[in-house]
Amino acid sequence: MGRLAEVTDLERTAMLLAWDQEVCMPAGAAAEHGELRATIGRLAHERFVDDRVGELLEAASPRDDVEADVVRTARREFVKARRVPGELVAEMTRAAANARGAWLQAHEDNAFAPFAPFLERNVELRRELSACFPEAEHPYDPLLDDFEPGMRTADARAALERLRDGLVPLVAGVTETEASGLEVEGDVPLPEAGQRALVRVVLQALGVDDDHWRLDEAAHPFSSGITAGDIRITTRYHEHDLESLFSSMHEFGHGLYEHQVDPALARTPLGHGASAAWHESQSRLWENMVGRSAGFWRWCLPHAQAALPGYFSDKTWQDVQRTFNVVRRSLIRVSADEVTYGLHVIVRFELELALIEGALPVADLPEAWSDRMRSYLGVDVPDDRQGVLQDVHWSEGLFGYFPTYAIGNVIAGQLWARLAADLSDLDERFAAGDFAPLREWLGEHVHRHGRRLMPDELLARVVGGPLDPAPYLAYLERKLEASAQLMA
Amino acid sequence: MGRLAEVTDLERTAMLLAWDQEVCMPAGAAAEHGELRATIGRLAHERFVDDRVGELLEAASPRDDVEADVVRTARREFVKARRVPGELVAEMTRAAANARGAWLQAHEDNAFAPFAPFLERNVELRRELSACFPEAEHPYDPLLDDFEPGMRTADARAALERLRDGLVPLVAGVTETEASGLEVEGDVPLPEAGQRALVRVVLQALGVDDDHWRLDEAAHPFSSGITAGDIRITTRYHEHDLESLFSSMHEFGHGLYEHQVDPALARTPLGHGASAAWHESQSRLWENMVGRSAGFWRWCLPHAQAALPGYFSDKTWQDVQRTFNVVRRSLIRVSADEVTYGLHVIVRFELELALIEGALPVADLPEAWSDRMRSYLGVDVPDDRQGVLQDVHWSEGLFGYFPTYAIGNVIAGQLWARLAADLSDLDERFAAGDFAPLREWLGEHVHRHGRRLMPDELLARVVGGPLDPAPYLAYLERKLEASAQLMA
């Protein structure tokens, strides 16, 4: 257990270095910090894949249930980590660093072609990685497993096909009025000081305290659970939208998950959220299911009016809720609304699957992208920057990660249905500014388990069944209906 | 060299964790962060004292002068580190943690007796540590060597006796007017916003840029050179004094040293300042020799007037300079002026020497403290809190560190004399807000060498001789004379 605690400490230190780099580090020190991060990351890996760890895990006789779960999880990860040669790991890191640079340039130049060879190399190396697991049913399985332990490609594909087939007609049915929408934020500026005040009030009501949390600014908002008692979230402020609020609530969802993990799991490999999708289920739940709900805005409106009178003073909570639920067929994933978002993700999932299968040559990617965007979302992609080049993920070698965004929403939908059954007055509680029942329910049913259960076991435990997009689709349909009524 | 680079990265990461704990960490996460720091610190130690490092150092054939210096220094440190049993190191850490807690309580209760057994244990363990080096001339030598590599107790004692014998009559000769002084800061409040603005202007003029530096607040100001390109200093703001400015300049001196180390020494054990005293020479030089000089205030006054008009608007630079150079016989080291400061340090040095020699029982420490304060500074110690309990150092097991404060001033005096010879118009440059010549001179003659030279070699190289308090005493005498003239 001592060695695993050491590895955990190293991983958490690496997380702090990463946070520091985004939030504190003076810009001129990037290369030097890269060395620190590389050393800590390498040590965390070396100290884990070491022969000695294998012997210890082999010989381990757990004293209790937690230790049994630690040993089982560590064995699984040990076996997986030992299968991948160190040279391949190093080469993936190198290739990703090169591809990241090439992507930045290609993005600036709005030209996919110069980036293609770098992306090809990333794909090639992921295929080599897959080949280290010849028993896998599908070459994408080992990649997906890094983010969703135990999930097979077939499971993800089945769930996301059902999600897609539900979303496409929903999105197609969005009326012109809804699609063109109200001016979401319009031309009234939202002064940064007011946004900061509002974010502070909201986070405090959700459950953030200075003893265990901090909020900072970052170019790309993210959340770091350095330890369960040290949760750091970030946001950003734009004068013409309220992204600061929704991104804070999103990162709060991630942070709360880490904060409410059972303290008994500290310094073990189990002291984090169960998987990437489970994490995303929490962030999306707070951002959307809470943050765009009627109850939330009934409570929040007076605070928003006090903080940002220029924008909010002449609005009702119904106006505001409608504004923040407008549906738009658009090109960019990160600014997509709740209804269309899943389709953006599914486009990426299907394409990366085809890349890894070898069914789609990298050169054909932009066209395949445009085709799918047209057929799923009904939009025309005018150029690479607004198309295939918009996300950094593939340049960093992240394959297997995109589907977790959509699966996270699916899980959030299942949780929300379960929550509605357990806590019938949730919306009224929100309207009273009381988020404790939701926080506690999530802590009790989801968070405290950390990674003790496999993601599918956790789901079965909480909602009584496997991955199922139906509740999420039903939630979106109800929203669209309510929104249509609000418009009438 | 790879292993040494790894150890360096671990040490620098530990430094970042320490900085984070003081500046960023939410208060409730202290225990969890303690674990991270302990793990990183332990790994840095383990990865260095490892047999393999010994073999590599044995077999090393340096390719150039830098590598030769690296190997020489690392061998010296390796031999020293291997002499101390791991259990003793662990026991010293434990005892210091206990003593630190006991000191906090004793300080609050203003009672030395309950703290005495903890201090005794710390002393006992330091004597055990000394005993690991039976060849040492004096039992204090191995302790001092941790902070001043190569310096013998006899050298420190000789220099500080000469300093003491010069200071005692100087301080005794301070007239009643000087001693009671002007009201140093008086009752006019110095608003924090104005202090921040002034600190910013001054640091920028000294050479701080956002690309490589950051300034934060901390309860006890300190400086961290995370890497040469990432210098983090801290200060604190009190409404009724200008400590913020002088402490910023002090920490700037430490930071500049780390910042100007030759980049070729990055990721080696040589990439820091030469010793604790050398570091202190730099901080005291910028805080006092620059920050209390006529030239500095001729330049700074208009900035101070713009930032803090309530206090500065009706003052001349002569008023201000006199105010910040008032001499007072007082009880507390950290707020002592430049002239009396050395005597506060010498009291501690002489007493800790007697403790380690076994000549002074811990129980007799408060009385010995009072005696020396009376005989050197002419003040009566009313209680333990304003006496022997005022510093945290001994509770943390820091023995061998206090003398470096005074030796730092001695070195600063020698450097200042040398500087005056090389750069005759320094005061005029300061009056023009031009600190580049001083910065560059220090970079060229001191900073760039990092730890390539032993502290005494560096001193011989820069000033052409050994440790000598005469220039520092002469500098203080000139100051007192100038001040007497200003008063007349």
Side-chain angles (χ1 to χ4, degrees), chain A residues 34-182:
Chain A
E35 301 282 6
L36 299 186
R37 286 181 65 179
T39 294
I40 300 296
R42 185 177 49 68
L43 273 173
H45 180 75
E46 273 180 30
R47 306 284 291 172
F48 180 61
V49 299
D50 196 275
D51 292 341
R52 182 84 190 109
V53 174
E55 293 159 23
L56 289 168
L57 288 173
E58 197 65 38
S61 55
R63 288 167 302 180
D64 57 28
D65 286 358
V66 168
E67 284 198 7
D69 290 343
V70 167
V71 170
R72 198 186 57 246
T73 304
R75 276 188 190 146
R76 186 179 194 279
E77 287 177 355
F78 182 78
V79 168
K80 195 170 180 195
R82 292 274 286 206
R83 283 278 198 94
V84 186
E87 309 88 72
L88 178 56
V89 174
E91 182 54 25
M92 287 194 297
T93 306
R94 249 192 309 275
N98 293 337
R100 171 91 202 255
W103 173 79
L104 281 170
Q105 189 60 51
H107 189 264
E108 198 181 315
D109 299 344
N110 197 3
F112 177 76
F115 173 56
F118 294 93
L119 180 55
E120 255 159 32
R121 182 71 184 137
N122 277 353
V123 170
E124 197 173 276
L125 290 166
R126 263 44 189 200
R127 286 166 56 89
E128 277 181 39
L129 177 69
S130 285
C132 301
F133 303 87
E135 75 283 16
E137 202 178 279
H138 188 285
Y140 190 80
D141 280 1
L143 308 179
L144 182 60
D145 185 85
D146 278 349
F147 305 101
E148 292 304 306
M151 184 176 282
R152 297 171 318 137
T153 303
D155 305 327
R157 197 188 324 236
L160 295 186
E161 275 174 5
R162 285 176 59 204
L163 181 63
R164 179 195 67 197
D165 295 344
L167 286 178
V168 167
L170 262 192
V171 169
V174 167
T175 64
E176 197 45 41
T177 327
E178 286 162 316
S180 64
L182 303 159

Side-chain angles (χ1 to χ4, degrees), chain A residues 375-391:
Chain A
S375 93
Y376 295 169
L377 278 146
V379 294
D380 288 313
V381 177
D383 57 25
D384 293 337
R385 188 151 52 201
Q386 295 179 78
V388 68
L389 285 179
Q390 68 184 264
D391 296 303

Side-chain angles (χ1 to χ4, degrees), chain B residues 378-445:
Chain B
V379 294
D380 288 315
V381 176
D383 57 25
D384 293 336
R385 188 151 51 199
Q386 295 178 79
V388 68
L389 285 177
Q390 69 184 267
D391 296 303
V392 72
H393 301 56
W394 288 337
S395 79
E396 292 176 337
L398 279 174
F399 293 88
Y401 190 65
F402 272 129
T404 71
Y405 289 140
I407 296 169
N409 282 329
V410 168
I411 295 175
Q414 292 181 266
L415 288 179
W416 203 243
R418 178 79 239 166
L419 271 157
D422 281 10
L423 304 168
S424 57
D425 62 343
L426 213 44
D427 204 62
E428 284 305 313
R429 294 293 196 116
F430 296 168
D434 181 9
F435 303 93
L438 173 57
R439 212 168 54 227
E440 284 158 15
W441 190 96
L442 292 169
E444 173 62 24
H445 292 83

Side-chain angles (χ1 to χ4, degrees), chain B residues 47 165 225 241 263 427 432-433:
Chain B
R47 307 284 290 171
D165 294 344
D241 64 42
D427 204 62

Side-chain angles (χ1 to χ4, degrees), chain A residues 16-333:
Chain A
L16 181 63
L17 287 171
W19 175 86
D20 185 85
Q21 187 160 328
E22 297 302 319
V23 176
C24 293
M25 183 195 79
E32 295 166 350
H33 274 247
E35 301 282 6
L36 299 186
R37 286 181 65 179
T39 294
I40 300 296
R42 185 177 49 68
L43 273 173
H45 180 75
E46 273 180 30
R47 306 284 291 172
F48 180 61
V49 299
D50 196 275
D51 292 341
R52 182 84 190 109
V53 174
E55 293 159 23
L56 289 168
L57 288 173
E58 197 65 38
S61 55
R63 288 167 302 180
D64 57 28
D65 286 358
V66 168
E67 284 198 7
D69 290 343
V70 167
V71 170
R72 198 186 57 246
T73 304
R75 276 188 190 146
R76 186 179 194 279
E77 287 177 355
F78 182 78
V79 168
K80 195 170 180 195
R82 292 274 286 206
R83 283 278 198 94
V84 186
E87 309 88 72
L88 178 56
V89 174
E91 182 54 25
M92 287 194 297
T93 306
R94 249 192 309 275
N98 293 337
R100 171 91 202 255
W103 173 79
L104 281 170
Q105 189 60 51
H107 189 264
E108 198 181 315
D109 299 344
N110 197 3
F112 177 76
F115 173 56
F118 294 93
L119 180 55
E120 255 159 32
R121 182 71 184 137
N122 277 353
V123 170
E124 197 173 276
L125 290 166
R126 263 44 189 200
R127 286 166 56 89
E128 277 181 39
L129 177 69
S130 285
C132 301
F133 303 87
E135 75 283 16
E137 202 178 279
H138 188 285
Y140 190 80
D141 280 1
L143 308 179
L144 182 60
D145 185 85
D146 278 349
F147 305 101
E148 292 304 306
M151 184 176 282
R152 297 171 318 137
T153 303
D155 305 327
R157 197 188 324 236
L160 295 186
E161 275 174 5
R162 285 176 59 204
L163 181 63
R164 179 195 67 197
D165 295 344
L167 286 178
V168 167
L170 262 192
V171 169
V174 167
T175 64
E176 197 45 41
T177 327
E178 286 162 316
S180 64
L182 303 159
E183 263 320 295
V184 175
E185 281 92 8
D187 290 330
V188 183
L190 298 152
E192 194 177 306
Q195 293 194 40
R196 286 179 187 277
L198 179 59
V199 166
R200 203 160 36 237
V201 167
V202 170
L203 288 180
Q204 211 160 16
L206 297 190
V208 162
D209 67 84
D210 287 347
D211 245 22
H212 294 295
W213 297 72
R214 51 180 293 146
L215 171 70
D216 295 276
E217 255 180 286
H220 301 280
F222 67 103
S223 159
S224 296
I226 307 295
T227 61
D230 181 0
I231 308 295
R232 305 180 182 201
I233 64 178
T234 61
T235 189
R236 59 183 170 192
Y237 302 90
H238 298 150
E239 218 187 15
H240 285 282
D241 65 41
L242 251 194
E243 188 192 323
S244 62
L245 177 65
F246 292 101
S247 114
S248 298
M249 294 182 76
H250 181 100
E251 302 306 338
F252 167 78
H254 284 302
L256 185 68
Y257 197 170
E258 299 285 311
H259 185 51
Q260 296 199 125
V261 168
D262 184 347
L265 307 181
R267 302 189 78 215
T268 77
L270 309 182
H272 286 293
S275 73
W278 269 101
H279 245 295
E280 197 69 8
S281 78
Q282 300 306 295
S283 56
R284 301 286 288 179
L285 188 149
W286 286 95
E287 174 190 357
N288 292 328
M289 290 163 173
V290 178
R292 299 179 203 274
S293 69
F296 177 81
W297 282 104
R298 281 159 64 201
W299 165 75
C300 191
L301 183 65
H303 299 291
Q305 287 172 331
L308 296 161
Y311 180 77
F312 283 101
S313 61
D314 61 350
K315 302 240 182 349
T316 65
W317 69 260
Q318 289 92 338
D319 294 336
V320 175
Q321 201 217 344
R322 186 170 48 195
T323 300
F324 291 127
N325 281 291
V326 160
V327 181
R328 274 212 180 93
R329 287 183 283 270
S330 66
L331 291 161
I332 305 297
R333 175 183 64 85

Side-chain angles (χ1 to χ4, degrees), chain A residues 5-6 8-10 12-13 16-17 19-20 23-29 32-33 35-36 39-40 42-43 46-47 210-214 226-232 267, chain B residues 5-6 8-10 12-13 16-17 19-20 23-29 32-33 35-36 39-40 42-43 46-47 210-214 226-232 267:
Chain A
E6 177 188 289
T8 303
D9 287 341
L10 284 164
R12 290 185 178 274
T13 300
L16 181 63
L17 287 171
W19 175 86
D20 185 85
V23 176
C24 293
M25 183 195 79
E32 295 166 350
H33 274 247
E35 301 282 6
L36 299 186
T39 294
I40 300 296
R42 185 177 49 68
L43 273 173
E46 273 180 30
R47 306 284 291 172
D210 287 347
D211 245 22
H212 294 295
W213 297 72
R214 51 180 293 146
I226 307 295
T227 61
D230 181 0
I231 308 295
R232 305 180 182 201
R267 302 189 78 215
Chain B
E6 178 188 287
T8 304
D9 287 340
L10 284 164
R12 290 183 177 275
T13 299
L16 181 63
L17 286 171
W19 175 86
D20 186 86
V23 177
C24 293
M25 184 194 80
E32 296 166 350
H33 274 248
E35 301 281 6
L36 299 186
T39 295
I40 299 296
R42 186 177 48 71
L43 273 174
E46 273 180 27
R47 307 284 290 171
D210 287 346
D211 246 22
H212 294 295
W213 296 73
R214 53 179 292 145
I226 308 294
T227 61
D230 181 0
I231 307 296
R232 306 180 182 201
R267 304 189 76 215

